[in-house]
Amino acid sequence: MEACYTQNTFMHFLLKALGYSVHFVASQVMSPNDHVINVVQNVEKEGDRFLVEVGCGYPTFQAIPLNFKDESAIYRFSFNTFKFVRMDDDVIVCMHRHKGLQPEVHPNTKVQDDGWRKFYEFNLTPRDIGYFSQRMDHSYTVQGATPFLVSLRVIMFPGGKAACIKNATLLIEGDDNGLHPVSLNGIDEIKAAILKHYPQMEESKIDAALITLKSVLEEK
């Protein structure tokens, strides 16, 4: 499983190697500390801060400045429209409003009248990687702790457009920035779609993932 923990950790050490001042911060999507992201400091001037997020299927294609007062600008990348709202000096909330695929968030999350909904929040307090060990061990080993151990998720953005597979559904982003579903009938069609849209993936990893998916589908 390659998700926020692996991808944002890789980005963290890449940015460090390039000379940036970067630290991890803890975020919450469904439960405390279940999402790991990076904040980079002193990029354009002393004291500024930018969010760098590369571990989420709801894309953020650029570093996001965090030195706004109450709300950030509204950003639109691929099918995703989002903004950030400052709750206090340390806590910021990411709000989403986009077409099609809705984020998997806490079940008590409400959609506001203007269509915005909370996706995650994060605390700007710097953390080291060990801070996340217990929560991430749980996420990566306990079935049901997250959706990612019991469902297939693959996503890329060729040309800035989303190509996603979620279990037996292929989602292709159209010119309207909406995600258009195509049903995949059976493991063979799912594998063929993965090989077509993600040719760089190792076939052995694809087969291992599909064995798990098949067992999950058979249990339903």
Side-chain angles (χ1 to χ4, degrees), residues 136-214:
M136 290 300 156
D137 284 347
H138 184 75
S139 297
Y140 275 70
T141 59
V142 177
Q143 186 168 312
T146 73
F148 304 115
L149 293 181
V150 293
S151 64
L152 180 69
R153 312 290 177 95
V154 193
I155 187 165
M156 286 187 63
F157 298 90
K161 296 283 190 180
C164 323
I165 292 177
K166 182 179 181 181
N167 292 331
T169 302
L170 172 66
L171 297 153
I172 298 295
E173 183 180 347
D175 291 337
D176 61 351
N177 297 119
L179 293 175
H180 302 278
V182 177
S183 294
L184 303 172
N185 298 310
I187 295 298
D188 290 342
E189 281 196 15
I190 296 171
K191 181 174 180 178
I194 295 173
L195 291 171
K196 176 181 177 181
H197 292 282
Y198 320 99
Q200 74 276 32
M201 292 187 67
E202 296 178 21
E203 193 164 353
S204 61
K205 289 186 176 181
I206 297 171
D207 290 337
L210 292 177
I211 289 171
T212 301
L213 177 63
K214 184 177 180 181

Side-chain angles (χ1 to χ4, degrees), residues 101-121:
L101 190 64
Q102 294 296 323
E104 294 180 36
V105 297
H106 192 281
N108 293 333
T109 299
K110 304 296 184 184
V111 179
Q112 297 179 356
D113 292 341
D114 56 4
W116 291 101
R117 64 185 297 177
K118 177 182 175 181
F119 180 28
Y120 64 81
E121 68 178 55

Side-chain angles (χ1 to χ4, degrees), residues 24 30 48 54 86 98 105 131 151 161:
F24 295 111
M30 300 287 288
D48 66 11
V54 300
R86 187 177 300 279
H98 52 71
V105 297
Y131 179 82
S151 64
K161 296 283 190 180

